[in-house]
C-alpha cells in the first residue's frame, strides 16, 4: 500500500498506508487530518481539500485539469506552486511516500 505523509503547519506529522485507488482527501478524512474538510465529498466543487504537495513530489502527480485549476483560485489559504486539491490525487505506487503539507 502506498504511504502518505501529512505535515501540519505546526510541524505535526501523520503517516499512513493508504489503499490503492483511494483519493487523498478521503485518506486525510480517515486519518483525522485537520484542515482537509472535503465538504463536497470529492466532486470538485468546494476546494476545502486544498493541500500543498511537497516540491519533491510535484512531478509524480498527474497534471491538474481546468476545473481543479480554476477551483484553486478560490482556496482560502494562499495558492502556491504545490497547491492541489487532494480529492484529485489518488493513492498509487507512483505516489508511494508522497508528502502533503496541510495549509494552516
Ligand atoms: S473535496 Fe471538494 S473539491 Fe476536493
Amino acid at each position: 500500500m502506498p504511504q502518505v505523509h501529512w505535515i501540519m503547519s505546526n510541524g505535526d506529522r501523520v503517516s499512513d498506508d493508504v489503499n490503492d485507488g483511494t483519493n487523498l482527501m478521503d485518506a486525510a478524512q480517515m486519518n483525522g487530518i485537520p484542515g482537509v474538510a472535503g465538504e463536497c465529498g470529492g466532486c470538485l466543487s468546494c476546494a476545502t481539500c486544498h493541500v500543498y504537495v511537497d516540491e519533491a513530489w510535484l512531478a509524480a502527480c498527474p497534471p491538474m485539469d481546468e476545473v481543479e485549476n480554476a477551483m484553486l483560485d478560490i482556496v482560502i489559504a494562499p495558492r502556491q506552486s504545490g497547491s492541489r486539491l487532494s480529492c484529485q490525487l489518488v493513492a498509487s505506487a507512483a505516489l508511494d511516500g508522497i508528502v502533503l503539507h496541510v495549509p494552516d
Side-chain angles (χ1 to χ4, degrees):
M1 277 192 279
Q3 191 168 52
V4 179
H5 307 281
W6 292 269
I7 300 176
M8 273 42 86
S9 58
N10 67 359
D12 286 352
R13 186 180 182 114
V14 173
S15 299
D16 194 22
D17 296 324
V18 176
N19 287 328
D20 277 308
T22 300
N23 78 59
L24 301 189
M25 178 278 291
D26 283 338
Q29 301 270 296
M30 287 185 260
N31 280 279
I33 304 299
V36 181
E39 289 176 1
C40 76
C43 66
L44 200 48
S45 63
C46 73
T48 62
C49 61
H50 179 209
V51 295
Y52 301 121
V53 175
D54 192 272
E55 194 167 325
W57 284 93
L58 283 175
C61 293
M64 70 177 75
D65 65 18
E66 288 180 19
V67 177
E68 182 181 359
N69 189 34
M71 292 295 289
L72 282 166
D73 286 337
I74 63 164
V75 291
I76 296 171
R79 182 175 183 168
Q80 299 178 5
S81 59
S83 287
R84 292 296 304 259
L85 297 180
S86 55
C87 67
Q88 302 303 299
L89 300 173
V90 174
S92 67
L95 297 183
D96 183 19
I98 190 169
V99 177
L100 304 175
H101 300 274
V102 180
D104 193 7

